[in-house]
Amino acid sequence: MLVLGIETSCDETAAAVAESYRSILSNVIFSQQDHAEYGGVVPELASRAHVRTLLPVVERAIELAGAAWNDIDAIAVTEGPGLVGSLLVGVNVAKGLAYGRGIPLLGVHHLEGHIFSSLIDSDLEPPFVTLLVSGGHTELIHVPELNCYEMLGQTLDDAAGEAFDKVARLLDLMGPEQLVMGGKAVSEAAAEGDEDAIRFPRALPGQRGLDFSFSGLKTAVFVHLRDHAVDEAEVPDVAASFEQAVVDVLVTRTLQAVQQTGCTRVALVGGVASNSRLRDQMRRHLTTAGARLYVPELPLCTDNAAMIAVNGYFRLARGERSSWDLDARPRIPIGVVAR
C-alpha cells in the first residue's frame, strides 16, 4: 500500500508518500517566505500560500516516489492542532482528492505525527518516552504502545521554540529574511559563546512534576540585556547561556520521565530537536542513565508530511477510516481524532 500524506498546519506546505509506517518514498516541504517582514506567521498569508502551492507539492511528492495517482491507496491529512485556515486548506484538498478517487481518508493528529517521525527508518519500539519540542509545543509523552499516549508534562507558558524566537529578537540576531528562524539564529550565535558566562534561571527546579516553564527565562534574558551594556562581542555568551538553560531543563525533565516510567528508550522530536547542543547533551545523559536516544533525521524534525503519511499508513493497516465530514480542528488533544 502507498499512503499520501498532507501537512498544512502552519506555514509549511508539505506532502509525502509512505510505503509502511516506518518507510517513506518521498518527502516534499515548501517553506513559505511570505511572513518574513512581519516577524512571525500571518495566518491569512499562510492559508493563501497553501492554496497556491499544495497541489504542485502533492504532485511532486508522487513523482519523486516513482508512483502515479492510481498507485495511491489512501490519503492522510493533518486535522489539527494548528492554524484553522491552514488546516482547512489541507483537509479540504485531501477530502476532495480522496472522494474523487474513491480511496480512504484518514485524519491525523499533528503531535501524533511527530511521535511517528521517530519510527521512520528506525528500530524504535514501545514502550518509550517522547520529548516533543517545537515552536508551539513542549511535551513529555509516555508511549506504552503505538496509538496509546499518556501526557507526563507540558509547558505552562511559552514553549521552548517560542522562547528561542523571542530571545533571538531580544538579541537582534535575525535579519528581515530570518524573522521566523529564531532557534537557528540563537544556536549559531551560541556556538561562539560561553554557556557558563551567565547563570540564567532553570524554571521549576524543585517541582516533582514534569511540567515546563520558559517565560521566566525569557524575562531573565530581557532583564540582563536591560541592566547590562551588552556589546556585540558579548551576544554569543548570552545566547549560549540561554541555550544551555533551556537544554538543562529539557534534559532534567526527560531523565525524570525515564526514571518515572522505567522506559529505556527516548524519542526526541519536533523542530527544536534539530538543536545540536540538545541532541548531544541529551544523548550523553541518557546513555549514562542506561537509556537510548532516538532522533529523526533533520528534515523530519520540523513540520513535514512524512510523519503524517506514516501515521496514516499505520491507521489504514488497522482498518481505520475517517468520515467525509472530517473537519479542521485547531485545538484537539492528542489521542482524539475524528473517525
Side-chain angles (χ1 to χ4, degrees):
M1 297 188 297
L2 296 184
V3 175
L4 171 68
I6 292 174
E7 155 63 22
T8 62
S9 64
C10 191
D11 62 331
E12 259 80 33
T13 309
V17 176
E19 61 176 350
S20 79
Y21 74 92
R22 291 185 180 273
S23 178
I24 59 172
L25 297 178
S26 66
N27 185 32
V28 178
I29 304 173
F30 175 80
S31 295
Q32 300 174 10
Q33 302 300 315
D34 308 54
H35 315 276
E37 63 183 292
Y38 302 103
V41 177
V42 181
E44 178 64 21
L45 293 181
S47 303
R48 293 179 184 179
H50 289 310
V51 170
R52 293 194 306 270
T53 59
L54 181 53
L55 285 177
V57 167
V58 165
E59 291 169 353
R60 180 61 173 160
I62 294 174
E63 177 187 359
L64 289 177
W69 268 112
N70 288 338
D71 300 317
I72 302 301
D73 297 290
I75 298 179
V77 61
T78 303
E79 64 169 295
L83 301 176
V84 63
S86 294
L87 291 168
L88 280 169
V89 176
V91 167
N92 284 298
V93 167
K95 287 168 66 174
L97 292 173
Y99 186 82
R101 304 202 64 83
I103 57 178
L105 173 73
L106 299 118
V108 173
H109 193 290
H110 181 77
L111 303 190
E112 189 171 9
H114 274 300
I115 292 173
F116 268 70
S117 70
S118 61
L119 303 177
I120 299 174
D121 296 328
S122 166
D123 62 355
L124 176 61
E125 295 283 354
F128 59 88
V129 168
T130 295
L131 174 63
L132 196 165
V133 271
S134 67
H137 300 276
T138 304
E139 282 115 355
L140 272 168
I141 302 168
H142 179 218
V143 187
E145 59 184 78
L146 296 180
N147 203 42
C148 181
Y149 309 104
E150 176 191 4
M151 186 68 70
L152 300 175
Q154 55 193 320
T155 185
L156 302 176
D157 39 58
D158 289 352
E162 290 175 309
F164 271 103
D165 288 343
K166 291 174 180 178
V167 168
R169 292 186 180 90
L170 290 174
L171 294 176
D172 196 24
L173 290 174
M174 298 183 292
E177 75 285 355
Q178 289 184 301
L179 284 176
V180 292
M181 299 174 65
K184 181 179 179 182
V186 170
S187 294
E188 288 177 350
E192 306 298 323
D194 176 8
E195 66 269 20
D196 296 319
I198 306 159
R199 180 64 185 181
F200 287 124
R202 275 60 169 166
L204 310 176
Q207 179 173 302
R208 297 181 62 184
L210 298 177
D211 288 331
F212 303 90
S213 173
F214 295 102
S215 63
L217 173 59
K218 171 204 65 182
T219 302
V221 175
F222 170 80
V223 170
H224 180 84
L225 295 175
R226 184 195 65 191
D227 295 345
H228 297 79
V230 176
D231 60 28
E232 186 175 347
E234 296 172 299
V235 166
D237 287 346
V238 177
S241 299
F242 160 77
E243 185 179 58
Q244 186 61 54
V246 174
V247 169
D248 282 348
V249 171
L250 294 174
V251 170
T252 298
R253 287 286 186 265
T254 303
L255 290 172
Q256 289 176 302
V258 167
Q259 184 178 27
Q260 178 176 312
T261 61
C263 290
T264 58
R265 292 177 288 271
V266 174
L268 175 61
V269 301
V272 182
S274 61
N275 182 285
S276 59
R277 187 188 299 264
L278 175 60
R279 294 159 75 105
D280 293 344
Q281 295 190 23
M282 185 72 76
R283 181 173 286 108
R284 186 172 72 250
H285 285 281
L286 286 174
T287 299
T288 300
R292 179 179 174 186
L293 180 66
Y294 294 80
V295 189
E297 294 185 4
L298 292 181
L300 300 177
C301 290
T302 55
D303 290 350
N304 64 88
M307 65 188 194
I308 305 303
V310 294
N311 183 265
Y313 190 103
F314 174 80
R315 296 190 172 282
L316 183 68
R318 286 164 51 94
E320 297 184 23
R321 306 288 188 276
S322 294
S323 63
W324 296 118
D325 61 358
L326 180 74
D327 201 358
R329 306 176 73 185
R331 291 179 179 85
I332 174 177
I334 190 165
V336 181
V337 291
R339 296 287 178 263

